[in-house]
Amino acid sequence: QKVRREFSLHISFTCRIIDGKPPRFPKKPTIHQDGDILVMGCLLEADPLPDIIWYKGSKVILDSSRMRMTRKATGKDQYLLKLEISKPTPEDGGNYRCNACNIYGESNANIALNFQGGDEGAGFAPSFTEKPRIIPNGDGTLITMKCVCTAKPKPEVTWLKETKKVTEGGRVRMKIEESGDVYTLMLEIQDPIGPDSGTYRCHVKNEFGESNANLNLNIEAEAEPEGIAPTFLEKPKIRSESGGKVVIMDFKVKADPKPEIVWYHEGQVLKQSSKLSWRMEESDNVYYIRLELKDPGIQDSGIYKCNIKNICGELNANLTLNIEIIPVIKEVPKTVSITKSNTILIECRVQSVFEPKCTWLKGSNIIKEDSKHRVEIVHVKEGEYAVKLEIAPATPADKGVYKLVAKNEKGEATSSTIDVIAPPTVEAPVIQQKLTDVSVKEGETIRLVCKFSSVDKTLKIIWKKNNKMITEAVNTKFDGQSATLEITNCKKEQEGTYTISASNAGGTTESSSTIRIGKHHN
């Protein structure tokens, strides 16, 4: 039997192109704190520049006011990828994954984020250091598939044929040879036969990441199919037409015979409809593949994949679609609170993928932020923001009709109006009976009384002596209308100017009395 050998590294399809690099994470991802920003970093090697997608669990991470993704070239075909989280909380804990994919393959770096402390120890993700090989013995009675990788700690190894896990037993044996952090992984097939042909994958994984090596085993009982496995002539790309009402994903491949294509969105097989359609046009073994998405909405965001396959091989086109739509304001703004401290708080909910630019208006006049007006935009949940306007202190002049305008690159939305009634004006306390000057002898009792024009037990009453808070022992009372200070068995050092101040939201009122204390003559 004749054995045909093909191999590829870190890729998800049989690839015949030899120039370029599949993505590879050569070092362990890092986590560090920079002020109130948590930074996850990954060093990547790849050529050409791959598409980068960050995940938390199985959910794609999008740029937001709290999470920012960056990419910086650090050398030839080397990039530093970062995910920055502003003001991290325990809810940000979990398993993160950085996925890198180009036309030569893909690779992942895994990061476990927790807030319980502990030392992860030194280590790094698995990485294949040699091209995988298929080695037959002299008489064809034994085939060995061999891969070499580095990893720390020791990786978990899984062999697959197509999508089915390969188990050891019968004619199949698996071996691992270890030398420091270098591992030689082998899959042996005794007395190989035609049904053993297929695409094999060696998957290696540890706590710092994972990697794959693919091997094509073709035991030819018959002549190998002639033709060309699908290869890209034009890189997959996304663009919009008709003012954003249509999204186009397209690319060109060369293949012979004609390939079959299957489109996926977030892992689910797509079906053609009035909203979603695709076509494939042929010209001399060159195929133009095009998908059209009409009236895209936020639910259409995510990862799209096109699988292109013929009898000679297959490949995948991966595209990430982020849909930004015009902000949507479904609810009328509402007055959250009008407090006795003369503060008005108005809130309006806005639906938008990214934080919109928001402007509050009173009538037709734009409200500018100042010491009295404050605007706050809070990210409530994915795709929704709470936009707040605080007015403090509010006066009768703030009464009127208010509305919100939210804008982004796609357009703007204006809320319905809300009538705001300013809180009633609170007047400062009015004194009906002021303090009077007092002259007494030592040992006598002093009694100061201040009476207000109305009853208000919420008044804040403060007594002072010579403009300083009274710390000596005196008796004070306040029943909501009358405030009393009493000094029994007075002494010479207690004379001076006594002041009462009464405060509310409307202001502060004061009254003073001069106390003179003469010596007592027997």
Side-chain angles (χ1 to χ4, degrees), residues 129-394:
T129 58
E130 298 179 9
K131 289 184 178 181
R133 293 185 293 159
I134 299 177
I135 307 169
N137 67 356
D139 57 6
T141 58
L142 178 68
I143 288 177
T144 302
M145 302 185 200
K146 182 178 179 181
C147 303
V148 180
C149 77
T150 58
K152 186 176 182 181
K154 182 177 179 178
E156 177 184 339
V157 181
T158 305
W159 286 91
L160 301 100
K161 180 186 176 188
E162 308 298 344
T163 58
K164 186 178 179 181
K165 183 177 179 180
V166 178
T167 57
E168 193 170 18
R171 297 183 300 111
V172 178
R173 288 184 299 173
M174 301 176 191
K175 294 181 179 179
I176 300 178
E177 294 179 357
E178 182 176 351
S179 177
D181 297 329
V182 180
Y183 300 87
T184 301
L185 317 172
M186 290 172 282
L187 175 66
E188 295 181 351
I189 303 177
Q190 189 76 34
D191 300 322
I193 57 177
D196 293 324
S197 297
T199 299
Y200 288 77
R201 178 159 60 97
C202 181
H203 177 76
V204 287
K205 179 180 180 181
N206 66 12
E207 63 189 90
F208 298 103
E210 60 187 278
S211 194
N212 296 282
N214 289 0
L215 306 97
N216 247 9
L217 176 62
N218 185 12
I219 300 174
E220 294 182 323
E222 299 177 358
E224 180 188 15
E226 294 184 0
I228 304 171
T231 55
F232 286 114
L233 294 180
E234 288 184 7
K235 185 178 179 180
K237 57 185 180 295
I238 300 177
R239 65 180 188 278
S240 63
E241 295 182 353
S242 302
K245 293 182 179 180
V246 178
V247 171
I248 306 297
M249 304 181 195
D250 61 356
F251 53 91
K252 285 184 180 180
V253 298
K254 186 173 183 179
D256 183 30
K258 180 179 179 179
E260 296 179 353
I261 62 172
V262 180
W263 280 94
Y264 300 84
H265 177 224
E266 293 294 331
Q268 301 296 315
V269 176
L270 293 175
K271 295 182 179 179
Q272 301 206 60
S273 64
S274 58
K275 179 183 175 70
L276 183 73
S277 62
W278 58 82
R279 68 177 189 267
M280 182 167 63
E281 300 172 357
E282 178 186 3
S283 177
D284 296 329
N285 296 330
V286 174
Y287 296 86
Y288 172 65
I289 300 171
R290 172 187 175 105
L291 178 143
E292 292 187 7
L293 175 64
K294 297 179 180 178
D295 298 319
I298 188 172
Q299 71 279 2
D300 298 310
S301 295
I303 300 173
Y304 288 77
K305 181 175 79 171
C306 182
N307 176 261
I308 310 101
K309 183 177 182 180
N310 66 10
I311 59 175
C312 297
E314 66 178 291
L315 59 81
N316 292 306
N318 297 307
L319 305 102
T320 302
L321 177 63
N322 290 323
I323 299 293
E324 174 67 293
I325 59 174
I326 295 173
V328 176
I329 303 176
K330 292 185 176 180
E331 299 177 358
V332 177
K334 60 183 179 181
T335 303
V336 177
S337 63
I338 300 179
T339 66
K340 287 186 177 180
S341 60
N342 289 11
T343 297
I344 297 175
L345 183 62
I346 310 170
E347 180 180 307
C348 186
R349 295 293 180 98
V350 179
Q351 293 181 346
S352 178
V353 175
F354 303 106
E355 183 176 308
K357 181 179 180 182
C358 296
T359 304
W360 285 97
L361 294 94
K362 179 188 176 189
S364 59
N365 297 319
I366 295 175
I367 298 174
K368 297 182 178 180
E369 287 197 76
D370 51 28
S371 58
K372 178 176 179 176
H373 302 89
R374 188 170 72 93
V375 177
E376 183 181 12
I377 303 175
V378 180
H379 191 194
V380 179
K381 59 183 180 181
E382 186 173 352
E384 185 171 328
Y385 294 83
V387 185
K388 302 178 182 180
L389 171 64
E390 182 180 283
I391 306 172

Side-chain angles (χ1 to χ4, degrees), residues 504-516:
N504 63 11
T508 301
T509 304
E510 295 183 343
S511 178
S512 298
S513 166
T514 300
I515 295 179
R516 295 181 177 86

Side-chain angles (χ1 to χ4, degrees), residues 446-459:
I446 301 170
R447 192 167 186 271
L448 301 180
V449 179
C450 180
K451 188 174 182 180
F452 300 94
S453 61
S454 60
V455 177
D456 185 357
K457 293 185 177 182
T458 64
L459 291 181

